[in-house]
Amino acid sequence: MNIAEIAKLAGVSRAAVSRYFNDGYISQQKREAIRKVVEETGYRPSVQAQTLRTKKTKMIGVIVPKVASASIGRIVEGVLSVLNESEYQALLAVTQNNPKRELEYLSAFHDKQVDGVILVATVLTSEHKRILKALSVPVVIVGQRLTGYCCVFHDDYHASYDLTKLFIEKGRKKLGYMSAIQQDKAVGAERYRGFRDAVRDMGYEELTDNFVIVSFSVASGYEKTKELLEKCGNPDGIICATDTMAAGCMQYLREHKIEVPKQILVAGQGDSEMARITDPPLTTVHYSYEKSGQIAVQMLMELLGQGEAALKEVKLGYHLVEFN
Amino acid sequence: MNIAEIAKLAGVSRAAVSRYFNDGYISQQKREAIRKVVEETGYRPSVQAQTLRTKKTKMIGVIVPKVASASIGRIVEGVLSVLNESEYQALLAVTQNNPKRELEYLSAFHDKQVDGVILVATVLTSEHKRILKALSVPVVIVGQRLTGYCCVFHDDYHASYDLTKLFIEKGRKKLGYMSAIQQDKAVGAERYRGFRDAVRDMGYEELTDNFVIVSFSVASGYEKTKELLEKCGNPDGIICATDTMAAGCMQYLREHKIEVPKQILVAGQGDSEMARITDPPLTTVHYSYEKSGQIAVQMLMELLGQGEAALKEVKLGYHLVEFN
DNA sequence: TTTAAAATTGAAATCCATTTCAGATTATAA
DNA sequence: TTATAATCTGAAATGGATTTCAATTTTAAA
């Protein structure tokens, strides 16, 4: 069943049938004739033929470091919920935090497989920037700020700052910090900077050896807690860059009979389900991950609609989550 | 840049260029001439034109109920890790547990958008079966067993059975069960059946009112725990269909000063990170979710390679995870 | 009633590759 | 050396839509 057959059955030209589906000029009678034939035959235009002709695939490439992660899962959920409502579909690529893969996909999408790209980023190297520049379709970056690109990200700095301030106001004097790699500007560098600045602004001595760097897993948080405790002497508070790390940290403290929050108060960031499950629950920060995914799609849609993309950079708010 | 231009530059016919890319008959000289031009121009054949001609999209439709879920996230991770290695890409559709959406996508993929479908299923209605039958591309179902279809699923029954047996062997005599909806054959019905059969086989009275049905969230597990406690009288063990529910249950018990495991021993299923984070950690069952995703792709690849699909049904093993 | 503007129409060109076909070359076996 | 098989080749058909163009019909304004 193709457009020619439908045209013949309806007694019109192929162009008319095409117009029928694309709201072109077409008289009532023909419209009705075509509608009838289409209904009877169940005809649907071939997506591939349309794509070949129009150069629009109606697909968005979504690149994520991993998918089995609370925060990223929520971003993806947000992206897809909005995409659901549109005519676009999502081509998902997982890089497994392998920069080579990330670049691969970025350029795979390059040859016009997709109409646009949403890049959920952790580390952005100069290589990334090079490829992004060469990308022929619009792109929106989620989770990181990159000057010159449309991006939606979180106020990591102030969130971490406020969290730290809260700890100090609660009387915690000696804080340790569990950080992500610094190459991750948002989750690594910014959150750590927020911590340090808060400590300094609150009048405490600015230490440079009160933190450890861990990777995004419970196990890693667990493993590095010992080192952090040693580095800090006897901290009475530990702030972590993510809930996942914090959960690992809690696990270590529990096993070593260190009382939380009595001896050490622990905070994570991300407001994941994990934060509510540890005993006691983690103090944490809520970042609007779903929302960032949703907004990313909206921005991309504006870019695709060739509107002059009013939104360029969107920084989302946050709020502290405290359990008593 | 299209095939015609390349052909002209290389001084050959378009057919020759096509053969160059598709390993057809072609002489060394022409091959070399084309290689050079392709290299210089950076030409890549148009995927859409190829698709139109060959009817192969090199895309797999992946339908999941949600993505921000530990178990499903792991399945998707498995699916994508294998797909990564192939020439196929994943078109992801999230149904948000909305059956209408699920059917929508299933039939959206129907018109040849994809070469095959992987359906991560929870509830399979007769409507599903109707659409599955009408599907013109091969499909593999993950997480549920459906006779007549290629599927990969877990041994939910025996896992739940063994878990229950373990509880009884440990001296727990009065067990409560937190179940998922029974329409979900695998996670709802089978796991509950395993529980009941184990209780009976171990010589205990078969009760019919020692369980509650909850949805897949921590909050729901929390809310329904009270009811379960009331229904059971004073249980000394609670087995849950998922870790998520179990985490909610733990939260309730903690808040109500019920000691775990002293008064009540709690088990989840799924071996998620959550299970290791609660205090004490949950007894749980490890299901190979990543693996099921991987195998699903392998099965689909066999179906696509028009091999006669040796694998039809795959049931994966499990093992108990106990923390001491 | 004219005239200008708006709506309607279908033929044909276009998008870009793959594949069949029939013929031409080259290699191998007899 | 000849017959046969194995390679190689390009013209043309094919897949299924959209869009331009020029012509025609309707409608609205003057």
Side-chain angles (χ1 to χ4, degrees), chain B residues 24 38 43 71 84 100 114 122 180 323:
Chain B
V38 166
Y43 165 77
S71 52
N84 261 345
K100 217 172 76 210
V114 297
T122 52
F323 293 92

Side-chain angles (χ1 to χ4, degrees), chain B residues 188-205:
Chain B
E190 285 295 284
R191 292 186 188 177
Y192 175 58
R193 198 164 65 82
F195 166 76
R196 265 182 70 164
D197 285 1
V199 168
R200 186 199 57 217
D201 291 354
M202 297 293 284
Y204 285 91
E205 191 187 351

Side-chain angles (χ1 to χ4, degrees), chain B residues 125-139:
Chain B
T125 64
S126 54
E127 181 73 358
H128 281 86
K129 288 169 200 160
R130 205 176 54 67
I131 295 196
L132 280 172
K133 197 160 288 170
L135 207 59
S136 55
V137 293
V139 58

Side-chain angles (χ1 to χ4, degrees), chain B residues 17-175:
Chain B
V17 178
S18 176
R19 291 198 184 96
Y20 170 83
F21 282 106
N22 295 286
D23 299 318
Y25 280 131
I26 190 163
S27 65
Q28 262 313 317
Q29 309 137 57
K30 299 210 183 230
R31 188 187 306 280
E32 180 54 26
I34 295 171
R35 193 197 57 70
K36 218 169 131 192
V37 174
V38 166
E39 191 159 295
E40 282 165 5
T41 57
Y43 165 77
R44 304 267 301 262
S46 150
V47 179
Q48 12 273 15
Q50 288 178 316
T51 294
L52 177 59
R53 191 62 231 256
T54 62
K55 306 284 173 210
K56 301 253 167 284
T57 63
K58 296 294 173 192
M59 292 194 300
I60 301 299
V62 181
I63 303 179
V64 300
K66 55 194 279 198
V67 51
S69 139
S71 52
I72 297 168
R74 278 159 62 189
I75 293 174
V76 174
E77 203 85 56
V79 165
L80 286 160
S81 71
V82 178
L83 238 34
N84 261 345
E85 305 300 321
S86 75
E87 54 187 343
Y88 287 85
Q89 293 200 286
L91 213 48
L92 188 72
V94 176
T95 64
Q96 285 154 185
N97 264 313
N98 176 342
K100 217 172 76 210
R101 264 199 206 295
E102 195 158 10
L103 299 172
E104 254 174 49
Y105 282 119
L106 221 38
S107 49
F109 288 158
H110 177 277
D111 24 5
K112 295 252 206 320
Q113 293 253 36
V114 297
D115 293 344
V117 170
I118 288 180
L119 174 63
V120 179
T122 52
V123 178
L124 289 172
T125 64
S126 54
E127 181 73 358
H128 281 86
K129 288 169 200 160
R130 205 176 54 67
I131 295 196
L132 280 172
K133 197 160 288 170
L135 207 59
S136 55
V137 293
V139 58
V140 174
I141 297 168
V142 182
Q144 300 284 339
R145 181 186 162 162
L146 185 58
T147 310
Y149 287 91
C150 284
C151 46
V152 41
F153 51 94
H154 306 275
D155 195 352
D156 301 282
Y157 175 80
H158 288 108
S160 192
Y161 186 100
D162 284 0
L163 189 58
T164 308
K165 203 165 146 222
L166 176 72
F167 265 45
I168 295 175
E169 286 167 353
K170 284 190 158 210
R172 306 288 164 163
K173 295 185 159 51
K174 205 170 180 185
L175 302 180

Side-chain angles (χ1 to χ4, degrees), chain A residues 11-302:
Chain A
V12 301
S13 70
R14 279 146 61 223
V17 178
S18 175
R19 292 199 183 95
Y20 170 82
F21 282 105
N22 297 286
D23 299 317
Y25 279 132
I26 191 164
S27 65
Q28 263 312 317
Q29 311 137 56
K30 300 212 182 225
R31 188 187 306 278
E32 180 53 27
I34 295 171
R35 194 198 57 68
K36 215 169 133 193
V37 174
V38 166
E39 192 159 294
E40 281 165 6
T41 57
Y43 165 77
R44 304 268 300 263
S46 151
V47 180
Q48 12 274 13
Q50 288 179 314
T51 295
L52 177 60
R53 187 63 231 251
T54 63
K55 307 286 174 207
K56 301 254 168 283
T57 62
K58 296 292 173 195
M59 292 194 300
I60 301 298
V62 181
I63 303 179
V64 300
K66 55 194 280 197
V67 51
S69 140
S71 52
I72 297 168
R74 278 159 62 190
I75 294 174
V76 174
E77 203 86 56
V79 166
L80 286 160
S81 71
V82 178
L83 237 34
N84 260 345
E85 305 301 321
S86 75
E87 53 188 343
Y88 287 84
Q89 293 199 285
L91 212 49
L92 188 71
V94 176
T95 64
Q96 284 154 187
N97 264 313
N98 176 342
K100 217 172 76 206
R101 264 199 206 294
E102 196 159 7
L103 300 172
E104 254 174 49
Y105 282 119
L106 223 38
S107 50
F109 287 158
H110 177 277
D111 13 14
K112 295 249 208 319
Q113 294 255 34
V114 296
D115 293 344
V117 170
I118 288 180
L119 174 63
V120 179
T122 52
V123 178
L124 289 172
T125 64
S126 54
E127 181 73 358
H128 281 87
K129 289 170 201 162
R130 206 176 52 67
I131 294 197
L132 280 173
K133 197 160 289 172
L135 208 59
S136 55
V137 294
V139 58
V140 175
I141 296 167
V142 182
Q144 300 283 339
R145 181 187 161 161
L146 185 59
T147 310
Y149 288 91
C150 285
C151 45
V152 41
F153 50 93
H154 306 275
D155 195 352
D156 302 282
Y157 174 81
H158 288 106
S160 192
Y161 186 101
D162 284 0
L163 189 58
T164 307
K165 203 166 146 221
L166 176 72
F167 265 45
I168 295 174
E169 285 167 354
K170 283 189 157 209
R172 306 288 164 163
K173 296 184 158 50
K174 206 171 179 185
L175 302 179
Y177 189 81
M178 192 172 268
S179 174
I181 51 170
Q182 298 299 296
Q183 290 92 314
D184 184 328
K185 287 275 170 276
V187 180
E190 285 295 284
R191 293 187 188 177
Y192 175 57
R193 197 165 65 82
F195 166 77
R196 264 183 71 164
D197 285 1
V199 168
R200 186 199 57 218
D201 291 353
M202 297 295 283
Y204 286 92
E205 190 186 352
E206 204 167 338
L207 302 168
T208 54
D209 197 34
N210 55 348
F211 75 101
V212 288
I213 289 183
V214 318
S215 58
F216 297 104
S217 74
V218 176
S220 179
Y222 177 90
E223 285 159 18
K224 292 293 181 80
T225 301
K226 186 179 178 194
E227 185 184 334
L228 182 59
L229 294 180
E230 282 165 3
K231 275 187 162 180
C232 294
N234 270 317
D236 54 10
I238 294 179
I239 292 176
C240 305
T242 73
D243 284 347
T244 309
M245 299 170 184
C249 178
M250 290 283 286
Q251 200 179 324
Y252 182 93
L253 298 179
R254 178 174 77 223
E255 284 182 17
H256 291 77
K257 309 275 185 242
I258 298 171
E259 281 184 72
V260 179
K262 202 170 172 189
Q263 288 176 264
I264 300 182
L265 181 59
V266 180
Q269 297 191 52
D271 190 23
S272 64
E273 282 197 314
M274 272 192 191
R276 292 145 201 271
I277 283 167
T278 58
D279 181 19
L282 294 168
T283 299
T284 187
V285 180
H286 180 88
Y287 293 109
S288 307
Y289 288 121
E290 291 92 341
K291 187 123 200 173
S292 64
Q294 290 166 3
I295 291 182
V297 175
Q298 285 162 8
M299 287 170 80
L300 193 55
M301 290 299 147
E302 278 188 41

